[in-house]
Each structure stands twice: as structure tokens, then as C-alpha cells.
Amino acid sequence: MDPVQALSEIAYWMERGRGETRRVEAYRKAAWALAALPPGELEERIAAGSLTEVPNVGPSTSAVVMEASTGVVPGKLADLRDKGKGPLGEGGESLRKLLRGDLHSHSSWSDGGSPIEEMVAVARRLGHEYLAQTDHSPRLTVARGLTAERLAEQLEVVEAINRDGADDTFRLLPAIEVDILEDGRLDQTPKMLDQLDIVVASVHSKLRADAETMTVRMVGGIANPHTNILGHCTGRLVQGSRGVRPESEFDADVVFAACAQFEVAVEINSRPERRDPPRRLIEVALDAGCLFSIDTDAHAPGQLDFLDYGCARAAAANVPPDRIVNTWPLERLLEWSHAKR
């Protein structure tokens, strides 16, 4: 098999299995380094046994390349494929088959680990019909949030990917995860938000504010005519390298009533460290008549398969599939997402 593709797929399976970031990056960076070599040089280095002279290619990644160059599937990749059989979460398999795409994903334009093109390639391989490119907004400087100027540049990249795609069965959606600021405004210019297909609005700062303050802030963001999805609404972390973080306090009845009124979907965030919102709040949102969106919040290609986790949680809470916006065909999705603007 193709040696560079073998390295990339190993990284994918390791990300999917929530492997250590440092180890995952070793395989992904090696793939990028070898893919960037001039034509013919990879084959020359394989023949000469000099792969480790290429920056970011070490003994382990070199061994994978040498094995793949003989025409066999490298043992490490075969083992990861075998371990990755079956869904990541049980109970949501039927619902997962109904999902047509993912409306929350990040790339190396902000705090994701891979280029947009690599995220798109994996989304296609997973059978997605669409993927929303939701990098962060400018106030989230720690995540290299996109200014209006950088977002405009990204929109050109998104347009080029859609124009140059191999077929018309997949669409990359121009989108953003925009911060809900303390006064309820959205952290991007209305002119730029007008150009997007999907706007995920989330709170990322001052998560320990009192319930009244947070409720007013969230409702302000929800009421904005550009907002389509309320992202990871409690901001909690239940596990992982960033530690744990309690839920933000807000009046759930008021917030979800606003989501229902303004036709803003409540995100069921599939990241294992978030599991946001918790089951009891999904049920409150259901009773309020809310729409939902099951999203990965992926920051790496292998995390795009985290939809399994979100589907399992949605199925356990008996969320009707037709109230999940990313079960909808693209035409219906875009009609909904642009209706308020």
C-alpha cells in the first residue's frame, strides 16, 4: 500500500482510539514530511535505507514505510484496524446510520491539528454528505481564533475545495464556532456571519458566572438571527488531559425555551471529555421542543468518528431522529440555517 497513506491511517486510528497526542503527531508529521519530498525521492530513500534522515521521520515511522513499500499492510496498521472494528459507543448504531454530516469541526486554521483538506478527506471516507468548518472566532486567542480577514481567506479555501471536489456528493460548509460575548453579542462581524452556512455559538469564558448572568448572556447569543446551534451548553469537562470542570449555571428552562423559540439546535457534543449536555438537560430540551445537532467538535481527523458517542447518548435519551438537524438532507439543512437571516 502507499507508505504515506499508511502513516496517515495509523494516525487516524490512534486519534479515533484517543491515543496520546505526542504519539499520534509522530505518525502524522512523518506522513506530511514524506508527502512533501520531491518526486522520486521517497523511493530513493526507501532503496537506500535513509528515511530517518528526513526531519520528523524516526525509527518507528520509517519501519512502517519500509513495510508498506513491500506491498503489504504494515503490522501496526493491521492491528489498529482490527482493534477499531465496531462502533465507539453502543446503542446509537441505528441513529448513526441516519446522520448525514457533522456541523462542528476544527482545523489547523485555529486549534485543530490538521489542514482542512485532511479533515475533508476523512469526512468523505466516513460517508459524510457535508461537514461544517467551524474554526474559532477572534476573541479566543489561545485557540488562534479567526479575525474577519482570516475568515475571509478561509472562505476562499472552502470554495476551492468544493469547486475542485471529485464529485458533488459532498459539501464543505463555510461556518464558524463563534464566542457568545459577555453582553450576548457574537464575536464576529455581521457581514462575515452573513456569508456562512452554519453558525455554532458557544460560551468559552467566565464559565463560573452566576446563573442569572449566564442565562442572559446565552439568551442574547441564541436570539441573534445568525445563530443556528448552541454549542456545548454547560462547558463542563468530565475527564481528560485538561482535568475536570463543573457545569456552568444557567436557567435551563429559559435557555431551552429560547432555543425552541428561535429555532436554534441544542448541540449534543460527542467529545468523551465533554458529554455535554448531561442527560437531564437533554430531557429538558426535549420537553421544550428543541431541535438538536449531534456533533464531534473534532480537532483531528480521527475524532470525526466520535459521532458514535453522541448518537449513543441521543438514543439513550430517546431524541427523535427528525429533530436532529444533521439527519436532514443538505437542502433542508440550509433552508433552516438561513431562514432567520
Side-chain angles (χ1 to χ4, degrees), residues 7 28 66 81-82 88 115 125 129 137 140 153 178 187 198 226 243 272 283 299 317-318 339:
L7 292 171
R28 198 165 293 290
M66 296 298 291
R81 285 177 174 177
D82 186 62
L88 289 170
R125 193 166 75 237
E129 296 176 22
S137 61
L140 204 62
E153 293 174 13
V178 62
D187 180 32
I198 295 291
H226 291 99
E283 292 172 350
H299 285 65
N318 296 311

Side-chain angles (χ1 to χ4, degrees), residues 230-298:
L230 177 63
H232 47 68
C233 63
T234 77
R236 74 175 187 172
L237 295 173
V238 297
Q239 61 178 237
S241 60
R242 290 187 290 171
V244 298
R245 182 168 64 209
E247 300 171 23
S248 294
E249 297 180 1
F250 57 88
D251 189 322
D253 290 328
V254 171
V255 166
F256 295 138
C259 286
Q261 177 183 348
F262 293 103
E263 294 193 16
V264 169
V266 175
E267 179 180 73
I268 297 178
N269 190 289
S270 299
R271 296 193 68 86
E273 70 269 27
R274 285 193 181 277
R275 290 181 238 162
D276 198 0
R279 171 73 175 267
R280 73 179 195 286
L281 292 186
I282 294 177
E283 292 172 350
V284 173
L286 268 174
D287 291 343
C290 292
L291 296 170
F292 295 86
S293 182
I294 301 174
D295 302 321
T296 61
D297 194 358

Side-chain angles (χ1 to χ4, degrees), residues 63-331:
V64 167
V65 172
M66 296 298 291
E67 197 173 355
S69 70
T70 67
V72 302
V73 176
K76 184 175 182 64
L77 177 54
D79 183 56
L80 287 168
R81 285 177 174 177
D82 186 62
K83 290 179 178 177
K85 290 178 180 177
L88 289 170
E90 297 182 355
E93 294 87 346
S94 297
L95 179 56
R96 175 66 185 87
K97 292 177 181 177
L98 298 177
L99 291 193
R100 296 173 181 263
D102 189 341
L103 301 179
H104 188 170
S105 68
H106 298 274
S107 74
S108 54
W109 279 69
S110 63
D111 61 342
S114 291
I116 297 173
E117 293 80 359
E118 199 158 353
M119 299 293 286
V120 166
V122 170
R124 284 178 175 274
R125 193 166 75 237
L126 291 174
H128 288 7
E129 296 176 22
Y130 46 77
L131 176 70
Q133 187 56 55
T134 55
D135 282 310
H136 289 285
S137 61
R139 290 289 181 93
L140 204 62
T141 54
V142 68
R144 299 180 62 244
L146 274 60
T147 61
E149 293 75 19
R150 290 186 65 219
L151 179 56
E153 293 174 13
Q154 187 183 85
L155 294 185
E156 294 180 2
V157 173
V158 171
E159 183 180 358
I161 288 172
N162 286 327
R163 182 179 63 246
D164 301 337
D167 53 54
D168 59 357
T169 62
F170 175 86
R171 178 86 68 86
L172 181 62
L173 304 179
I176 193 171
E177 183 183 15
V178 62
D179 272 25
I180 302 175
L181 302 175
E182 291 177 60
D183 61 3
R185 291 182 299 113
L186 300 186
D187 180 32
Q188 188 50 270
T189 67
K191 179 181 178 181
M192 294 308 302
L193 294 175
D194 279 339
Q195 300 179 53
L196 306 178
D197 285 338
I198 295 291
V199 174
V200 179
S202 308
V203 175
H204 287 102
S205 63
K206 298 194 175 179
L207 298 176
R208 305 310 304 144
D210 64 84
E212 181 178 358
T213 297
M214 186 62 79
T215 300
V216 171
R217 179 181 183 179
M218 294 172 74
V219 170
I222 293 164
N224 189 294
H226 291 99
T227 299
N228 302 123
I229 298 169
L230 177 63
H232 47 68
C233 63
T234 77
R236 74 175 187 172
L237 295 173
V238 297
Q239 61 178 237
S241 60
R242 290 187 290 171
V244 298
R245 182 168 64 209
E247 300 171 23
S248 294
E249 297 180 1
F250 57 88
D251 189 322
D253 290 328
V254 171
V255 166
F256 295 138
C259 286
Q261 177 183 348
F262 293 103
E263 294 193 16
V264 169
V266 175
E267 179 180 73
I268 297 178
N269 190 289
S270 299
R271 296 193 68 86
E273 70 269 27
R274 285 193 181 277
R275 290 181 238 162
D276 198 0
R279 171 73 175 267
R280 73 179 195 286
L281 292 186
I282 294 177
E283 292 172 350
V284 173
L286 268 174
D287 291 343
C290 292
L291 296 170
F292 295 86
S293 182
I294 301 174
D295 302 321
T296 61
D297 194 358
H299 285 65
Q303 295 173 6
L304 287 169
D305 227 2
F306 284 2
L307 285 175
D308 289 350
Y309 293 125
C311 287
R313 298 185 65 241
N318 296 311
V319 178
D322 195 55
R323 282 170 63 178
I324 300 169
V325 297
N326 49 329
T327 66
W328 297 350
L330 179 62
E331 184 177 357

